[in-house]
Amino acid sequence: MTLAELEAEAKRCIRCKLASTRTQVVFGEGNPKARLMFIGEGPGKEEDLSGRPFVGRAGQLLTRIIEQGMKLRREDVYIANVVKCRPTVDGLGVRDRPPEPDEVAACSFYLKKQIELIAPEVIVTLGNPATRFLLNTNEGIMKLRGKWHSYNGIPVMPTYHPSFLLRHGGETGNTPHKREVWNDIKLVMQKLGLPV
Ligand code: URA
Ligand code: URA
């Protein structure tokens, strides 16, 4: 199966209840041969409307980390989420919520296959749902971030979700959590042999 075939299958997926409330499936995007893959939680409002991952406010911060921080182009990496459809409270499309275990389980087929097909050298998980799913743990991001872990032999660096950074300190300023993310990102750059 190719990535394009997997995407076509995801676009008509009805494996979980999120299928009935989504506008668009947000499969993921980027270089199908990326050395680096970012995995977030799930689409928000802007992503659900556009069909693209990380295009809202958190996405703009992630894009700055990739382009201004790492000096890579967004299209050189691959960006995906644990769930491909937007989870909202009561399915009403107003307030986002984290994906529920049955939704993560139903969608896991797509993410696992994506990772297998892209075969990145390094994975960065953003926040708790992605980190817990990939590392198969209930441990929290505070404890797991900043250290190397592994998924099927691929090095995994968990770090804070950009939404968390926005909630704790806003877009600007050198907050402690931003410094922690930058520390984690530098470890990733070193692992990939990028100039730090
Ligand atoms: N937050 C996520 O986790 N993923 C997105 O695609 C957008 C916001
Ligand atoms: N570059 C920075 O300066 N800070 C970050 O958090 C990420 C990239």
Side-chain angles (χ1 to χ4, degrees):
M1 179 183 261
T2 66
L3 202 56
E5 285 164 354
L6 185 67
E7 177 162 11
E9 184 170 334
K11 296 241 146 133
R12 50 174 193 267
C13 180
I14 49 167
R15 289 179 190 225
C16 86
K17 59 189 180 294
L18 297 178
S20 64
T21 53
R22 72 182 176 226
T23 310
Q24 293 197 61
V25 173
V26 181
F27 179 68
E29 68 181 22
N31 182 351
K33 296 190 170 153
R35 300 178 63 203
L36 173 61
M37 186 166 174
F38 288 90
I39 302 174
E41 177 172 323
K45 184 175 183 177
E46 286 85 356
E47 292 79 18
D48 173 71
L49 291 174
S50 68
R52 298 181 54 209
F54 281 99
V55 293
R57 235 159 61 83
Q60 287 160 27
L61 178 51
L62 176 62
T63 303
R64 286 204 299 277
I65 290 170
I66 294 167
E67 301 206 324
Q68 291 166 34
M70 306 186 82
K71 313 284 186 216
L72 297 172
R73 293 181 311 173
R74 187 180 146 115
E75 55 268 34
D76 292 335
V77 305
Y78 197 92
I79 304 176
N81 284 302
V82 171
V83 296
K84 313 305 191 199
C85 299
R86 182 189 181 202
T88 64
V89 177
D90 300 327
L92 294 174
V94 180
R95 219 149 51 79
D96 291 336
R97 62 161 172 80
E100 288 165 2
D102 61 317
E103 296 157 355
V104 172
C107 210
S108 63
F109 162 76
Y110 297 105
L111 180 61
K112 287 195 264 186
K113 213 60 196 166
Q114 263 172 324
I115 296 171
E116 191 185 310
L117 291 166
I118 295 162
E121 287 169 46
V122 174
I123 295 172
V124 174
T125 52
L126 303 166
N128 271 322
T131 304
R132 286 178 172 158
F133 172 72
L134 231 63
L135 302 184
N136 193 25
T137 176
N138 282 319
E139 199 61 78
I141 187 71
M142 301 262 173
K143 232 179 133 176
L144 297 170
R145 63 147 286 278
K147 291 187 281 265
W148 288 108
H149 303 265
S150 160
Y151 170 82
N152 286 353
I154 304 169
V156 176
M157 178 58 67
T159 197
Y160 296 127
H161 195 286
S163 301
F164 174 83
L165 296 182
L166 292 173
R167 284 199 302 277
H168 297 267
E171 318 289 294
T172 54
N174 204 10
T175 64
H177 292 316
K178 265 198 183 162
R179 282 199 296 274
E180 289 174 287
V181 169
W182 184 230
N183 166 83
D184 303 345
I185 292 294
K186 281 195 289 197
L187 294 172
V188 170
M189 291 167 72
Q190 276 161 10
K191 180 75 92 183
L192 289 168
L194 301 171
V196 177

